[in-house]
Amino acid sequence: MNAFIAWTPLHLINIINTKVHYFDDELNDLYIYNEFKGAQQLYDRAVDIDIFDNVYLIKYNQMTKSYIKTANLLFNLNGYNLSKDAYENIFVQGDNYFAKLFYAYVKSNNQQVKLHYIEDGIGAYVESNIFDLKAKKNRLIKVINKNSIYRANFDKYFVYEPTLVQVDSRNKYLELPKLKVNTKAYNAIISLFEKTLNSLDRVKSVKYVFLDQPFQADGSEINEYKIFDIVQKAIKNQNELAVKLHPRSDKRKYGKSRVIDTDLPWELYCLANKAENTTIISMASSAAFTPSMMFDMKLPVIYLAEMIKNEFFSDQSDTAAVNTWLENAINVGNVLNIRMPDEINIPKTINDFHKFVD
C-alpha cells in the first residue's frame, strides 16, 4: 500500500501522474495537508473522482505551538492521531511538517517502508538538498528520533526529464510521461480542477510574465527585487508585464506591479489560457519549463540564471554554494536550450537581456 502526501496544487498533478503510470494496480491513499488556498475544494473533488482508495484532509493549524510540533518530531509522538500505518511506500515532494511526522510514525511500525521523491521544481535536477540537514533543530531531530525522515534515503525519484539530472545515481530516476489530452492521468487532473477551471476568468495574455522566487525569504544571497528592477527597466510598456508570484510570496511583494491571481497551478493556468504567445522571464525557476515538460506546451522563455551569476556573483569568493547552485541551474537551461533553441533564450549580461525584450 502506498501513501502520497500533497501540500500544494502542483503536488496533486504530479502525484496523479505518478500513481496512474506506476502504481495504478496497487492500493493508494492520498493525504492533503491543507496549508494552501483551495485545499478543501480539491479534497472534496479528490474524493468524488475516486482515483485513490482513501483521501485524508490533514489540518495544518491543528497544532499551533512550536514546542509541541518540535516535540512530536523529536520523540516520534503521534500529533495527528494517525491510525493507519501499513504502508510500504511513502511519496513526498520536499520538506514538510506533516510528511516528517507521518514518515516517522509509519517507519516506527514498519522498518522496511521506502521513501520516494516526486518532482517539485528545479531542485531535482541541480542537486539541491530536499531536506535541510544543516539546521540545528533538524540535526537534533536526526540524532534523537531513530525513525526520523532525516535518516532516510530516497529509493526512487519520479521526474519529467531524467536526462537533465546532474547526479551520479541516475538509475534511481524514473520518467513521468507528458500529460497528453484524453489520457487517464490528464482526464483525472482536469476533473480534479474542474470547478476552478470552469470559474477561471480568462484574461488577455500579457506579453511577459516574470516568475517570482522567494530567494531573500529563504536566506539566499540572490536578490529577486534587484533582478525584477532590471526586468522592469528593460520593458518599456509596463502593461505588457505581469508577475506570477511564488505561493509563499505576499501579493504586495513587488508594489503595484500586475499580479496573476489564480489558485490554479501555473502549468494548468498556461494550458487554460493558451499562453503560447507569452514570454516567460525566469530567474532560475523550472516553472519556466514545466508547461513544456508536463503538457508539451511550447512557451518562449528568457532564462536569467547565467546573467545573475555574471552580473552579481562572478567576482565574489564567498558565494561557493550560490555559484554551485547557479551553475547547475545554468546547465539545465543550456541543455533545454539545445533541445528547444527557438523557445529558450539565455542572456549572459543585462545588455543581452535588453536585446531579447526590445
Side-chain angles (χ1 to χ4, degrees):
M1 181 177 283
N2 306 314
F4 295 86
I5 305 172
W7 56 95
T8 74
L10 178 61
H11 290 172
L12 292 168
I13 293 177
N14 293 336
I15 283 172
I16 288 174
N17 201 9
T18 304
K19 182 265 184 191
V20 167
H21 287 98
Y22 285 98
F23 304 97
D24 214 25
D25 295 329
E26 301 181 21
L27 295 174
N28 298 284
D29 289 352
L30 172 64
Y31 290 81
I32 299 177
Y33 190 61
N34 73 338
E35 63 179 349
F36 63 93
K37 186 178 178 181
Q40 179 69 53
Q41 181 179 340
L42 288 172
Y43 163 77
D44 293 338
R45 287 296 298 157
V47 172
D48 289 343
I49 64 175
D50 198 28
I51 195 169
F52 293 92
D53 294 280
N54 299 286
V55 183
Y56 302 97
L57 186 69
I58 307 298
K59 297 179 179 179
Y60 80 96
N61 56 359
Q62 183 174 324
M63 286 176 283
T64 57
K65 298 185 184 303
S66 60
Y67 70 88
I68 293 178
K69 295 176 75 172
T70 300
N72 288 334
L73 295 177
L74 282 169
F75 305 113
N76 202 19
L77 303 177
N78 190 355
Y80 282 100
N81 297 318
L82 299 166
S83 59
K84 195 171 184 180
D85 58 43
Y87 293 108
E88 297 163 346
N89 298 285
I90 296 175
F91 299 79
V92 300
Q93 300 185 58
D95 200 341
N96 168 270
Y97 178 74
F98 174 72
K100 290 182 283 193
L101 201 71
F102 182 82
Y103 175 83
Y105 165 71
V106 175
K107 177 78 172 178
S108 65
N109 292 283
N110 175 19
Q111 289 294 309
Q112 304 306 313
V113 65
K114 294 179 179 178
L115 183 66
H116 308 277
Y117 175 79
I118 301 175
E119 179 177 328
D120 181 44
I122 201 168
Y125 301 103
V126 298
E127 291 189 86
S128 289
N129 291 324
I130 295 170
F131 300 129
D132 182 5
L133 296 177
K134 293 182 179 180
K136 185 181 297 185
K137 181 176 72 174
N138 295 346
R139 294 202 307 269
L140 184 62
I141 291 169
K142 181 180 179 180
V143 170
I144 294 177
N145 187 349
K146 66 179 182 179
N147 296 303
S148 170
I149 202 169
Y150 295 129
R151 294 190 177 201
N153 294 312
F154 286 103
D155 189 74
K156 290 287 185 293
Y157 299 76
F158 297 84
V159 300
Y160 286 94
E161 297 284 350
T163 57
L164 296 181
V165 172
Q166 300 173 46
V167 296
D168 293 332
S169 55
R170 293 188 182 183
N171 61 312
K172 291 187 173 185
Y173 286 75
L174 301 180
E175 182 176 4
L176 290 175
K178 294 186 187 300
L179 292 156
K180 301 291 187 181
V181 175
N182 289 330
T183 58
K184 182 176 180 179
Y186 178 95
N187 289 339
I189 290 163
I190 297 301
S191 294
L192 180 66
F193 291 92
E194 181 179 30
K195 291 183 179 179
T196 309
L197 285 166
N198 289 341
S199 63
L200 180 66
D201 182 19
R202 301 301 198 279
V203 296
K204 184 179 179 180
S205 294
V206 291
K207 190 173 181 180
Y208 301 102
V209 172
F210 176 80
L211 296 181
D212 167 53
Q213 290 175 267
F215 288 122
Q216 291 289 284
D218 290 344
S220 171
E221 295 174 70
I222 299 173
N223 190 320
E224 66 267 30
Y225 298 95
K226 290 183 179 179
I227 298 164
F228 182 68
D229 186 57
I230 291 169
V231 170
Q232 274 192 311
K233 288 177 179 176
I235 297 172
K236 297 179 177 62
N237 184 353
Q238 292 302 295
N239 292 325
E240 296 180 338
L241 174 65
V243 177
K244 174 61 177 72
L245 290 170
H246 187 276
R248 288 190 281 110
S249 293
D250 186 273
K251 288 185 178 181
R252 297 162 292 183
K253 179 174 181 177
Y254 296 106
K256 296 181 179 180
S257 299
R258 179 179 174 182
V259 171
I260 294 175
D261 188 13
T262 179
D263 295 334
L264 278 175
W266 165 245
E267 296 75 12
L268 275 182
Y269 179 85
C270 291
L271 189 70
N273 273 289
K274 298 179 172 59
E276 289 87 349
N277 295 322
T278 298
T279 296
I280 310 304
I281 300 175
S282 168
M283 290 180 283
S285 171
S286 63
F289 311 121
T290 48
S292 173
M293 289 180 176
M294 294 169 61
F295 291 100
D296 207 22
M297 294 182 66
K298 305 303 180 188
L299 296 179
V301 175
I302 302 176
Y303 191 61
L304 303 180
E306 190 165 356
M307 183 197 85
I308 292 169
K309 183 176 187 301
N310 292 337
E311 296 284 357
F312 293 96
F313 297 102
S314 60
D315 296 327
Q316 298 183 35
S317 59
D318 58 345
T319 56
V322 172
N323 278 320
T324 298
W325 189 90
L326 276 175
E327 286 291 354
N328 290 336
I330 289 166
N331 290 340
V332 169
N334 286 335
V335 172
L336 287 169
N337 176 242
I338 293 171
R339 294 186 188 180
M340 299 180 288
D342 295 332
E343 283 86 29
I344 300 173
N345 292 303
I346 303 179
K348 299 181 185 299
T349 65
I350 293 174
N351 286 337
D352 285 345
F353 173 65
H354 278 259
K355 295 174 186 176
F356 290 128
V357 297
D358 282 344

